[in-house]
Amino acid sequence: MHICVYCASSDAVAPTYEEAARTLGRLMGQRGHTLVYGGGRLGLMGLLARAVQQAGGRVHGVIPQALVAREQAYEEAEELEIVQTMAERQARMLALGQAFIALPGGFGTLEEIAHTLVWKALTASPKPLILVNTAGFYDTLLALFDQFYRERFAPPSWRGLYTVAAHPQEALSLIEGARS
Ligand code: AMP
């Protein structure tokens, strides 16, 4: 399967998050999945891509030209698609991914989660979106989502647009289970 993963570009996060990225990459590679992602070499993104390849999987990066120019592209990817804008990249990742996983990340990851969620709602796409809640990282975001439903900023049915997994193994089981 082509699984699109969103995650941190920071190199300075705690080892528990690095471990989650490596574990997800290793499991994806072992199970024959292809990683679709933002094409970066930094932070969890780079750890994830290397782990996928080391375990025998393929990597398809989609990266804006501006980041390539700043030498942040993962040139070792089997496919590295260079696009002009962030919007173009997001559209390509949504088209290529058969499922979406968000590991912990910062503002870029947050944007990708929100974009994917709204896109799923508007297109009625059945592609799964899983948030990996490593060390409770997404607890505060999920609390904000709860406030959206409680105060009617979003319909409660939107809870069905995403699933929370405790760890990478669970995220993959959810995706593989949804397919069969
Ligand atoms: P952040 O969570 O702010 O670290 O941003 C990471 C997310 O935004 C990733 O899932 C990427 O798709 C995108 N992104 C941010 N920075 C980069 C970068 N230097 N290279 C490639 N993609 C990036």
Side-chain angles (χ1 to χ4, degrees):
M1 253 177 121
H2 281 65
I3 300 178
C4 177
V5 181
Y6 308 129
C7 63
S9 56
S10 170
D11 274 320
V13 301
T16 178
Y17 302 123
E18 296 181 344
E19 199 43 49
R22 281 198 206 92
T23 301
L24 178 62
R26 179 169 39 78
L27 293 172
M28 282 180 60
Q30 285 170 351
R31 299 184 193 192
H33 296 302
T34 294
L35 169 68
V36 174
Y37 83 127
R41 61 184 318 100
L42 304 175
L44 299 191
M45 302 179 76
L47 293 177
L48 171 73
R50 281 177 218 109
V52 168
Q53 288 177 318
Q54 277 163 15
R58 292 175 57 83
V59 172
H60 184 142
V62 186
I63 190 161
Q65 177 61 49
L67 289 173
V68 178
R70 279 192 252 148
E71 297 185 352
Q72 292 180 2
Y74 185 61
E75 305 286 351
E76 299 89 337
E78 276 72 26
E79 280 191 69
L80 191 62
E81 211 175 309
I82 298 169
V83 294
Q84 293 313 308
T85 65
M86 298 291 279
E88 212 181 313
R89 163 158 81 176
Q90 191 58 48
R92 279 299 288 153
M93 293 202 293
L94 289 176
L96 289 166
Q98 295 170 278
F100 304 91
I101 295 179
L103 287 171
F107 289 109
T109 304
L110 181 62
E111 188 209 6
E112 291 167 335
I113 291 170
H115 192 99
T116 304
L117 210 150
V118 173
W119 173 80
K120 280 189 54 154
L122 298 185
T123 62
S125 167
K127 295 179 183 180
L129 167 64
I130 318 283
L131 308 187
V132 181
N133 197 18
T134 309
F137 181 81
Y138 280 119
D139 285 351
T140 44
L141 183 65
L142 293 166
L144 178 66
F145 288 1
D146 281 340
Q147 184 181 0
F148 289 173
Y149 306 127
R150 212 171 42 245
E151 299 193 22
R152 298 186 195 153
F153 284 91
S157 60
W158 281 37
R159 285 184 193 279
L161 295 173
Y162 52 90
T163 310
V164 181
H167 43 69
Q169 291 90 326
E170 189 183 351
L172 281 184
S173 301
L174 285 165
I175 287 172
E176 289 164 351
R179 191 173 44 159
S180 55

